[in-house]
Amino acid sequence: GDKGDAQTNAASSGDVMPNQVNSSSDVKDGVDPVTGNPRRRLSVTSCLNRFTSPELLADKVHCASCRQKTPTSKQMTISKMPRILVLHLKRFDLTGTPAKKITDFVSFPAAGLDMGRYLPHWREANRTASPLPADAARPPPPEHPRVPYDLLGSVDHRGGMSSGHYTANLRVGGRWYACNDAFVDRADEASVLDGDGGKRTAYLLFYGRRA
């Protein structure tokens, strides 16, 4: 379904547009090291939080109970966590004129990405709980199950809308390798996570569920 700034095709993949993430403690200002233009520094967690947040629909929806058109919201959650999780960061914005590449830097962990909080029961718990009087003791939110994922690989993009180049990073046996066309070299984890100082922007992230 279409969430305006995000799309999902299955439980194993998601498409998130970084420039639609709300301002929060996860968002920091920065500068693109290639163009020198301002850009934001986000986290993949802030993107996932935005992706799974309730969204008020632009048009009112007819309610079968009250037989009136009422404000309605929708929310996306991940019903089942896959063995391999693929996160697609939407990097190309075709809605404006001219089209542009979204260069916001998105940080992501090499290990321990906890996806349990995005399961339906725990993600929806806060908004479905019955309202309490202001002076009532509010129970703590239910603890979500831990579903940790570790990074297996990534695909980066360097360039803009008219031209660019894709490279990949792959972890094999605890070692990282950088794949650039026919060339494969050893890489360190830091360069994978920071995109060579931000010169490359993460496009696809591949995570494996921890056993």
Side-chain angles (χ1 to χ4, degrees):
D2 191 351
K3 193 179 186 296
D5 66 321
Q7 300 174 340
T8 183
N9 300 319
S12 60
S13 64
D15 185 17
V16 181
M17 184 184 292
N19 73 338
Q20 294 292 325
V21 176
N22 288 340
S23 296
S24 69
S25 59
D26 290 327
V27 179
K28 299 179 180 179
D29 293 329
V31 176
D32 190 320
V34 177
T35 64
N37 297 326
R39 71 172 180 180
R40 295 186 304 168
R41 295 179 63 88
L42 313 173
S43 70
V44 72
T45 301
S46 65
C47 293
L48 287 166
N49 287 341
R50 172 67 175 175
F51 180 75
T52 57
S53 293
E55 176 191 2
L56 184 65
L57 299 179
D59 298 324
K60 294 183 178 181
V61 177
H62 183 267
C63 175
S65 300
C66 65
R67 298 184 179 181
Q68 294 182 0
K69 286 190 174 182
T70 60
T72 304
S73 63
K74 68 176 182 179
Q75 183 180 22
M76 290 187 175
T77 57
I78 304 176
S79 60
K80 183 179 179 181
M81 292 299 168
R83 187 172 64 88
I84 303 298
L85 176 72
V86 182
L87 298 178
H88 177 196
L89 302 178
K90 188 170 182 179
R91 287 296 181 185
F92 305 105
D93 184 3
L94 306 179
T95 59
T97 304
K100 64 179 181 179
K101 180 185 175 182
I102 303 168
T103 62
D104 292 330
F105 179 83
V106 179
S107 64
F108 49 93
L113 176 64
D114 186 5
M115 294 295 296
R117 69 185 74 231
Y118 303 112
L119 289 166
H121 173 74
W122 287 270
R123 188 59 177 153
E124 296 175 356
N126 290 336
R127 74 181 185 93
T128 57
S130 300
L132 297 175
D135 58 349
R138 187 173 298 274
E143 185 70 14
H144 66 268
R146 305 295 176 184
V147 187
Y149 280 80
D150 299 324
L151 188 66
L152 302 176
S154 65
V155 174
D156 299 330
H157 182 264
R158 183 197 299 261
M161 290 295 299
S162 58
S163 64
H165 185 61
Y166 292 95
T167 56
N169 303 291
L170 184 65
R171 181 167 60 87
V172 180
R175 294 182 176 180
W176 281 100
Y177 296 88
C179 306
N180 186 353
D181 291 337
F183 302 95
V184 179
D185 299 305
R186 287 284 301 272
D188 60 271
E189 188 175 276
S191 67
V192 173
L193 299 180
D194 72 2
D196 191 19
K199 296 177 182 178
R200 307 185 312 268
T201 51
Y203 185 63
L204 289 169
L205 302 176
F206 298 87
Y207 281 90
R209 190 174 61 198
R210 192 178 298 173

